[in-house]
């Protein structure tokens, strides 16, 4: 099976490339390519290039893990965010209609407004709060429109949308690694660390997410019974504050920190950001876990494994 991967140098992309199942021919890409690591260049902001890559390689799957993920910066670069997050999946979908391959489109809990106060089911309506979420939502819509996926419906044709949340891995730019650095700096200087405690979601490790992505493709290729929209996060729920505290505790346990900082819970109003974020964006992953037959890992366990990989 031939898979064209985008975002190959991103945190999920790297995890996907680390654990490629047997029998997969992987064509991995990133924006400018990297001969040293075998990445081919593919600019997701260039719709013609996205269509051409599908026509050239004729993959069985496009795994679109690349995205404009800078949530706050997207507020001032909406055109670029739209081109990458919605233009690229649309272009892939258009070309895949010709070639017959499938698309696995990664998406986000930020397509929801977070106001309902209970976990979101895959079929619930999108209502993003910021530019990043809005452009990812438009990417989902393009996949649904062109590859005949009906949200929550059975039999997803050529397109599958996999939403996830709070992605963190041992490499790249993410909250866990930022907290580890801040814990180290503030712990050493005796300063405390204020972290938002009134936004709740669930961390997801790149390792468990990559396994879920590969499982989706295998499951779709052996039986066409997966729902069209899937939700995958690690198990449990947490605030950013909870994750920051856990990074300190686990960092000490694993010998990554000599001293942890005192973490102070603060409200969102004390940490204003350009983009508004959902206050409760937990994804209900029950149906996906059953469909993929993949047991969940609690986020704290997955975080421990992530930090062990940093050592
Ligand atoms: N991170 C999260 O918390 C989170 C949460 C929910 C869902 N997701 C979704 O999960 C997926 C994977 O996210 P991630 O955390 O692995 O993201 P990431 O680490 O930020 O990686 C995204 C990759 O996309 C690439 N990219 C951006 N613009 C591009 C362009 N114009 N052309 C080609 N490549 C481009 C980036 O390459 P450069 O390094 O060259 O810019 C980067 O390597 C994305 O679809 C994201 O929306 C992420």
């Amino acid at each position: 099976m031939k898979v064209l991967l985008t975002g190959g140098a991103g945190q999920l992309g790297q995890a996907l490339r680390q654990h490629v199942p047997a029998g997969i021919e992987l064509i991995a890409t990133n924006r400018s390519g990297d001969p040293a690591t075998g990445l081919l260049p593919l600019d997701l902001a260039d719709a013609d290039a996205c269509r051409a890559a599908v026509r050239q390689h004729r993959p069985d799957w496009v795994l679109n893990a690349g995205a404009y993920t800078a949530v706050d910066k997207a507020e001032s670069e909406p055109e670029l965010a739209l081109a990458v997050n919605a233009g690229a999946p649309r272009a892939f979908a258009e070309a895949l209609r010709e070639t017959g391959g499938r698309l696995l489109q990664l998406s986000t809990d930020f397509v929801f407004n977070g106001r309902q106060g209970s976990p979101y089911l895959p079929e619930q309506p999108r209502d993003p709060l910021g530019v990043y979420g809005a452009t990812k939502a438009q990417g989902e819509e393009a996949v649904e429109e062109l590859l005949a996926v009906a949200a929550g419906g059975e039999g997803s044709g050529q397109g599958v949308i996999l939403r996830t949340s709070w992605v963190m891995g041992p490499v790249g730019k993410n909250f866990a690694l930022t907290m580890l650095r801040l814990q180290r700096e503030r712990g050493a200087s005796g300063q405390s660390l204020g972290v938002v405690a009134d936004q709740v979601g669930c961390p997801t490790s790149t390792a468990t997410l990559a396994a879920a992505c590969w499982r989706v493709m295998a499951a779709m290729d052996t039986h066409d019974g997966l729902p069209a929209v899937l939700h995958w996060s690690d198990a449990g729920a947490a605030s950013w504050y909870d994750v920051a505290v856990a990074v300190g505790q686990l960092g000490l346990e694993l010998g990554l920190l000599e001293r942890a900082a005192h973490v102070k819970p603060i409200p969102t109003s004390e940490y204003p950001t350009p983009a508004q974020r959902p206050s409760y964006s937990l994804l209900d992953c029950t149906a996906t876990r059953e469909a993929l037959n993949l047991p969940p890992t609690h986020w704290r366990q997955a975080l421990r494994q992530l930090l062990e990989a940093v050592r």
Side-chain angles (χ1 to χ4, degrees), residues 13-47:
Q14 292 193 53
L16 285 160
R17 288 163 63 217
Q18 234 176 23
H19 301 285
V20 183
I24 302 276
E25 180 193 344
L26 186 68
I27 301 158
T29 68
N30 77 342
R31 190 189 323 223
S32 42
D34 180 10
T37 53
L39 292 168
L40 299 178
L42 177 57
D43 182 357
L44 294 174
D46 182 343

Side-chain angles (χ1 to χ4, degrees), residues 6-14 16 29-33 41-46 50 64-71 80 83-85 88 105-110 132 136 162-169 171-175 202 204 206 209 232 240 283:
T6 70
Q11 50 170 348
L12 173 60
Q14 292 193 53
L16 285 160
T29 68
N30 77 342
R31 190 189 323 223
S32 42
L42 177 57
D43 182 357
L44 294 174
D46 182 343
C50 292
N64 192 24
Y68 185 112
T69 54
V71 175
L80 182 57
V84 174
N85 291 345
Q105 170 66 18
L106 267 293
S107 195
T108 170
D109 55 333
F110 281 24
Y132 168 71
K136 292 294 286 185
L162 180 64
R163 294 194 191 115
T164 187
S165 60
W166 299 20
V167 177
M168 302 172 194
V171 291
K173 198 164 175 263
N174 61 62
F175 184 79
C202 192
T204 305
T206 51
L209 180 59
W232 185 269
W240 296 113
L283 299 173

